[in-house]
Amino acid sequence: MTWQGTWRGGRWRAALVGALLCTGLPEARAEEPDAGTPVASTAQRRGILTLRASWRTGVPDYMGGSLTVQALPLVDVELGATLVNPVVGSLYLRAGPRWSLYEGRDDAGRGLSLRMSALAGARGTSAYVVSEGSFGAQWGLNAVAALEGTYWLARYFGVSAQLVAGGTTYFPLRRPVQVLLGPLTPDARFSLGLSF
């Protein structure tokens, strides 16, 4: 029996088709959802980051901006800058756990999601003392609780509103910033932003 006869006889063809099916099946199987895995897991995507701004909705800050990174599972990391008044400003970095309170997104990724987080970190405030012509600075421990709602207009884009309440205990390094004297300075604000 010749090679051509064997090919025409179907043995080689069957072996080739079988080999192709065996190499293609694991890929097809990997793309199929598991029976125990929820299909809507992509619709429940919570976002990677949120950019926020506030204007005259905070205490003691009258203007501020922040960036919150939610890429880590169950953890928020937030970096922000604020102005208390034209000569007093601050920077803060805080992080902490987050909890999902409500997830109402549909299969297309649209809908409302609510979450809460508890954040703690450092806040540095500096002020320009006009009479002395120099800056004074304080660093302190900042802790807040945050409640945030995001309405997702698309799977990767949403409009966010956040309410934050907490405070900062400052530790003077060189000289105290006079506006922030006291054992606890409140830190509260309402801000709007965009989530991605």
Side-chain angles (χ1 to χ4, degrees):
M1 185 177 235
T2 65
W3 176 80
Q4 290 179 346
T6 307
W7 179 256
R8 286 182 190 150
R11 291 182 187 168
W12 285 100
R13 193 179 317 168
L16 182 61
V17 169
L20 289 173
L21 283 175
C22 288
T23 57
L25 281 178
E27 291 179 16
R29 238 180 252 144
E31 293 174 1
E32 290 177 0
D34 236 7
T37 304
V39 179
S41 61
T42 55
Q44 295 177 358
R45 180 183 172 279
R46 289 183 182 88
I48 296 172
L49 61 89
T50 302
L51 294 168
R52 286 187 209 86
S54 62
W55 175 261
R56 296 187 180 271
T57 58
V59 176
D61 310 315
Y62 81 91
M63 184 174 107
S66 67
L67 168 69
T68 303
V69 179
Q70 297 122 352
L72 298 172
L74 306 176
V75 175
D76 281 354
V77 178
E78 185 172 307
L79 173 67
T82 67
L83 283 177
V84 177
N85 60 47
V87 296
V88 179
S90 68
L91 294 172
Y92 62 85
L93 175 64
R94 54 196 181 203
R98 72 169 175 265
W99 299 275
S100 177
L101 302 178
Y102 173 75
E103 191 59 57
R105 300 178 72 181
D106 59 18
D107 291 339
R110 298 185 190 94
L112 179 67
S113 62
L114 295 174
R115 61 188 187 85
M116 189 176 86
S117 54
L119 306 171
R123 178 169 173 152
T125 301
S126 63
Y128 184 75
V129 183
V130 179
S131 61
E132 297 178 11
S134 63
F135 282 92
Q138 285 180 300
W139 283 91
L141 175 64
N142 177 260
V144 297
L147 179 64
E148 182 174 1
T150 304
Y151 188 81
W152 294 92
L153 302 170
R155 192 178 305 277
Y156 302 103
F157 179 73
V159 178
S160 172
Q162 185 192 56
L163 182 62
V164 170
T168 306
T169 300
Y170 283 95
F171 309 104
L173 296 179
R174 294 182 184 168
R175 56 178 166 260
V177 177
Q178 299 297 321
V179 181
L180 303 170
L181 287 177
L184 183 69
T185 300
D187 185 357
R189 82 182 51 82
F190 175 76
S191 57
L192 297 174
L194 299 176
S195 295
F196 304 95

